[in-house]
Amino acid sequence: MKSLIDHARSFAAHVADSERAESFRALQAGQSPEALFITCSDSRVVPSLITGARPGELFELRTAGNIVPEYGGGRPMGETATIEYAVRVLGVRDIVVCGHSHCGAIGALVQGDDLSAAPAVRDWLATQAAGSSFGADLADAVQRHAMAQLDRLRTYPCVRERIEEGLLSLHAWYYEVHTGAVRAHRPGGDSRTFAPL
């Protein structure tokens, strides 16, 4: 934790002395991100590192297993509010759902792990990943899961409306934490085809 605190203490001075100082000052006027990036909470997945996004360019939603919750359900959810805000208020033009290799959440589902010691995790995965079918291959399961989250996004009224208006595109990505390689789903072919970007 000490290294994180030390960096946070010196960050403002670093920004002020850098060539990016003006771009940081411009952030006070608001944000205009290009995309909503939905990915796993896993610490090895760093959206701005993967995409090269600078502050203000990427709106992020991170959940265990990059799960997009079902729309509605009778109670407000932070994840649903984040998606709606990104689409309706910020007007993002793209939503990326990015799964990743070595995903503990999807791995637990594939292997049928006993999660009784982590009941909130168990219940989140059981409720939100219900109906998903997973084979034994983790990479394939993660990719199928990312595609299933796009299907779930399409049930959100704000997402459906923007897609119909031609103002929003959805993308499924797969990131390999051990190589840095990113693959994207290629529409039009085999529904399971993920190819290098």
Side-chain angles (χ1 to χ4, degrees):
M1 187 68 184
K2 183 180 180 329
S3 64
L4 301 177
I5 292 170
D6 289 345
H7 183 80
R9 284 181 177 147
S10 64
F11 186 67
H14 172 72
V15 168
D17 293 339
S18 77
E19 58 198 41
R20 298 178 295 174
E22 187 58 38
S23 63
F24 271 85
R25 278 192 290 279
L27 294 174
Q28 69 184 335
Q31 60 176 319
S32 183
E34 296 177 29
L36 168 60
F37 199 92
I38 301 172
T39 194
C40 188
S41 304
D42 192 301
S43 63
R44 299 168 293 181
V45 181
V46 183
S48 60
L49 186 63
I50 296 167
T51 64
R54 294 182 308 269
E57 294 181 340
L58 208 56
F59 203 64
E60 295 181 26
L61 173 59
R62 302 193 58 158
T63 66
N66 52 272
I67 290 173
V68 172
E70 291 183 8
Y71 185 79
R75 65 179 184 87
M77 295 185 74
E79 298 86 2
T80 304
T82 299
I83 293 164
E84 187 175 76
Y85 188 81
V87 173
R88 289 215 195 272
V89 178
L90 298 176
V92 297
R93 304 281 307 197
D94 294 277
I95 299 177
V96 176
V97 174
C98 183
H100 68 94
S101 66
H102 308 90
C103 181
I106 305 306
L109 293 170
V110 167
Q111 298 160 13
D113 291 351
D114 177 11
L115 296 173
S116 56
V121 174
R122 178 198 61 215
D123 295 349
W124 170 256
L125 295 177
T127 347
Q128 301 302 335
S132 298
S133 59
F134 300 107
D137 180 69
L138 182 58
D140 182 62
V142 169
Q143 292 169 15
R144 285 176 183 258
H145 177 68
M147 294 297 299
Q149 302 319 295
L150 294 188
D151 291 340
R152 192 169 283 171
L153 276 169
R154 289 183 186 98
T155 69
Y156 281 56
C158 61
V159 171
R160 186 176 56 249
E161 290 163 13
R162 292 292 163 93
I163 290 173
E164 289 170 359
E165 294 166 356
L167 299 174
L168 183 65
S169 298
L170 304 182
H171 313 271
W173 288 8
Y174 175 74
Y175 170 66
E176 289 185 340
V177 299
H178 57 294
T179 67
V182 179
R183 297 181 174 276
H185 177 256
R186 299 290 185 224
D190 177 351
S191 65
R192 293 179 296 178
T193 301
F194 278 71
L197 283 177

